[in-house]
Amino acid sequence: VQLQASGGGLVQAGGSLRLSCAASGRTFTDYAIGWIRQAPGKEREFVAAINSFAGWTYGDSVKGRLTISRDNAKNTVYLQMSSLKHEDTAVYYCAARPGLYVRTTMTWDYWGQGTLVTVSS
């Protein structure tokens, strides 16, 4: 499956942004989709993930501020981000794996190219 992340940009602290992950090439509903981010000089961090039809989860540092959703008819997963903080600055990658999600940065089989989110303080 091919993944294309988009929607990143520059936003002020406290602002909002919506990321999109468009998938193609395989049956979209066979895959859980996750968002993983990597800030400059830091390790990758699990952000959120969603199963095909039910179930989603969030990383501890973003709970209450981010909402993940998916539109299976459009083969797209969204990550609505609000109350953004400077520490949310990172490249955000979407990833896919067959079956159910995992709350890790690993064991994701397919990765998109990433989209940069910069939060100015």
Side-chain angles (χ1 to χ4, degrees), residues 13-14 18 21 33 42 57 60 78 80-81 83 89-90 96 105-106 112-113 115-116:
R18 188 178 79 159
C21 176
I33 304 295
K42 296 187 177 181
T57 187
D60 292 339
Y78 304 98
Q80 178 68 47
M81 304 189 294
S83 302
T89 295
T105 61
M106 304 175 70
Q113 86 290 357
T115 186
L116 176 63

Side-chain angles (χ1 to χ4, degrees), residues 4-81:
Q4 180 76 36
S6 62
L10 175 64
V11 63
Q12 289 187 334
S16 299
L17 210 58
R18 188 178 79 159
L19 306 183
S20 299
C21 176
S24 62
R26 298 285 180 94
T27 302
F28 185 59
T29 52
D30 285 346
Y31 296 88
I33 304 295
W35 288 95
I36 293 96
R37 68 186 181 185
Q38 187 165 22
K42 296 187 177 181
E43 295 184 351
R44 287 182 175 179
E45 178 187 10
F46 173 80
V47 176
I50 188 167
N51 289 332
S52 297
F53 296 105
W56 56 86
T57 187
Y58 299 96
D60 292 339
S61 65
V62 302
K63 280 181 180 177
R65 299 187 297 116
L66 273 59
T67 302
I68 191 170
S69 62
R70 68 188 285 164
D71 186 336
N72 289 333
K74 295 183 177 179
N75 288 2
T76 302
V77 168
Y78 304 98
L79 186 68
Q80 178 68 47
M81 304 189 294

